[in-house]
């Protein structure tokens, strides 16, 4: 998430009422999660296990719960609860703004685009030319839809990330301030759910096609010309490269990469990153030829046991 203008370190510290290490006018350009941070961004860290990773990341402002040595060229925001204060910043820069009508006055709808009855288009949404938005589609604030996109009935774009911190009193939600970005010539089936990024974008690239009842988690990036079949569940922060095929009821772990032109057979659990150009099957995932061989061997076990017992 980039801020509308450059803020100073002192200004950010005042918003969240914390101390800081660095020059008062140290520039702050935005805030992001660690996998997408850039120079000028704030990243938060609240566990010693991840201190070094955060301090060495591309972020130049680290929101942290302990005063540590500040790396050269960076700044620190010292907070007793970085998770809480990251949420404060999200609320400050990307607050929830109710829309009094089904198509927000701030939404921009392209030429020849059709929006069927009972759909909702939120604040600052951009929909391109020659799109068809079927009935009961919900497009949350700030989403961007390209040209020649079809979204079938009941699909929801831009709901919050499924991201919580377990506290003694219950689960504390990390607020979502990111977007969903759908590129040109994408088809989205009925009853699909595509969550927005926490601070960045959940992206579906040109020419990709989603079947009905597909879920795409926060900050996931899906490449060009992918095919994703029904009841597939893609976790957050997944990278799916170009021309990947995911058949029905595939599920993935978060933070993995599926390589270009990989084919994932139905009901496979993608438990780790896999390289492109191969076919995969099973849980845990393996190359499909190897997995099918294993299943064939398993079927022979009763016959082998019988032979042993008959001796």
């Amino acid at each position: 998430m980039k801020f509308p203008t450059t803020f100073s370190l002192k200004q950010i510290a005042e918003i969240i009422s914390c101390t800081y290490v660095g020059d008062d006018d140290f520039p702050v350009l935005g805030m992001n999660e660690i996998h997408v941070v850039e120079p000028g961004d704030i990243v938060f860290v609240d566990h010693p296990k991840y201190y070094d990773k955060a301090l060495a990341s591309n972020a130049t402002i680290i929101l942290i719960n302990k005063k540590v040595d500040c790396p050269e060229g960076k700044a620190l925001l010292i907070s007793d609860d970085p998770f809480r204060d990251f949420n404060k910043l999200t609320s400050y820069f990307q607050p929830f703004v109710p829309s009094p009508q089904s198509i927000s006055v701030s939404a921009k709808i392209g030429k020849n685009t059709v929006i069927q009855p009972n759909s909702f288009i939120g604040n600052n949404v951009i929909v391109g030319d020659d799109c068809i938005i079927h009935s009961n589609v919900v497009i949350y604030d700030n989403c961007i839809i390209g040209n020649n996109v079809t979204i079938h009935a009941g699909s929801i774009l831009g709901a919050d990330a499924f991201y919580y911190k377990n506290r003694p009193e219950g689960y504390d939600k990390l607020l979502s301030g990111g977007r969903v970005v759908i590129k040109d010539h994408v088809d989205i089936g009925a009853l699909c759910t595509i969550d927005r990024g926490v601070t960045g974008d959940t992206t579906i690239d040109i020419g990709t096609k989603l079947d009905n009842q597909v879920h795409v988690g926060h900050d996931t990036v899906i490449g060009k010309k992918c095919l994703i079949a029904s009841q597939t569940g893609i976790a957050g922060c997944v990278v799916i490269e170009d021309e990947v095929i995911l058949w029905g009821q595939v599920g993935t772990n978060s933070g993995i990469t599926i390589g270009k032109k990989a084919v994932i057979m139905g009901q496979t659990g993608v438990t780790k990153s896999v390289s492109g150009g191969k076919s995969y099957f099973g849980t845990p995932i393996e190359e499909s030829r190897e997995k099918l061989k294993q299943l064939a061997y398993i079927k022979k076990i009763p016959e082998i046991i019988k032979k042993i017992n008959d001796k």
Side-chain angles (χ1 to χ4, degrees), residues 139-181:
I139 302 178
Y140 282 60
D141 294 357
N142 304 310
C143 292
I144 297 177
I145 313 298
N147 302 318
N148 297 104
V149 171
T150 299
I151 305 176
H152 284 279
S155 286
I156 300 172
L157 280 64
D160 286 348
F162 188 70
Y163 195 137
Y164 295 86
K165 183 179 181 67
N166 191 3
R167 298 188 187 271
E169 62 274 18
Y171 289 107
D172 191 5
K173 183 177 184 176
L174 185 64
L175 300 181
S176 296
R179 308 181 300 178
V180 170
V181 177

Side-chain angles (χ1 to χ4, degrees), residues 214-231:
V214 170
H215 173 74
V216 180
H218 69 89
D219 294 285
T220 282
V221 176
I222 300 176
K224 298 178 178 70
K225 292 179 63 179
C226 295
L227 287 176
I228 301 176
S230 181
Q231 298 183 1

Side-chain angles (χ1 to χ4, degrees), residues 80-100:
D80 64 322
D81 192 336
F83 188 100
R84 176 202 65 210
D85 288 339
F86 202 75
N87 274 345
K88 283 184 182 179
L89 291 172
T90 299
S91 295
Y92 184 90
F93 288 104
Q94 202 65 263
F96 173 70
V97 179
S99 176

Side-chain angles (χ1 to χ4, degrees), residues 218 235-238 252-256 270:
H218 69 89
C237 303
V238 172
T252 81
N253 282 12
S254 62
I256 59 146
V270 188

Side-chain angles (χ1 to χ4, degrees), residues 43-51 62-68 76-83 85 165:
V43 70
F44 86 90
V45 61
D46 58 5
H47 194 288
K49 180 179 178 180
Y50 303 109
Y51 284 171
I62 295 87
L63 176 59
I64 190 170
N65 57 347
K66 181 180 179 181
K67 190 169 183 179
V68 296
L76 304 178
L77 293 161
I78 312 298
S79 164
D80 64 322
D81 192 336
F83 188 100
D85 288 339
K165 183 179 181 67

Side-chain angles (χ1 to χ4, degrees), residues 210-283:
L210 273 60
D211 195 0
N212 304 325
Q213 297 180 314
V214 170
H215 173 74
V216 180
H218 69 89
D219 294 285
T220 282
V221 176
I222 300 176
K224 298 178 178 70
K225 292 179 63 179
C226 295
L227 287 176
I228 301 176
S230 181
Q231 298 183 1
T232 288
I234 302 168
C237 303
V238 172
V239 175
I240 298 175
E241 296 182 351
D242 297 344
E243 299 180 61
V244 167
I245 297 175
L246 307 181
W247 291 123
Q249 296 186 335
V250 165
T252 81
N253 282 12
S254 62
I256 59 146
T257 297
I258 300 176
K260 183 177 180 179
K261 294 189 176 181
V263 176
I264 312 297
M265 308 292 283
Q267 296 191 327
T268 292
V270 188
T271 52
K272 60 183 180 181
S273 294
V274 294
S275 57
K278 298 176 182 177
S279 175
Y280 298 92
F281 175 62
T283 305

Side-chain angles (χ1 to χ4, degrees), residues 13-45:
E14 288 173 349
I15 291 169
I16 58 177
S17 302
C18 77
T19 60
Y20 58 93
V21 176
D23 295 336
D24 287 357
D25 58 355
F26 190 94
V28 186
L29 308 181
M31 55 189 286
N32 266 311
E33 289 188 279
I34 196 163
H35 61 286
V36 289
V37 287
E38 299 174 342
D41 285 345
I42 302 167
V43 70
F44 86 90
V45 61

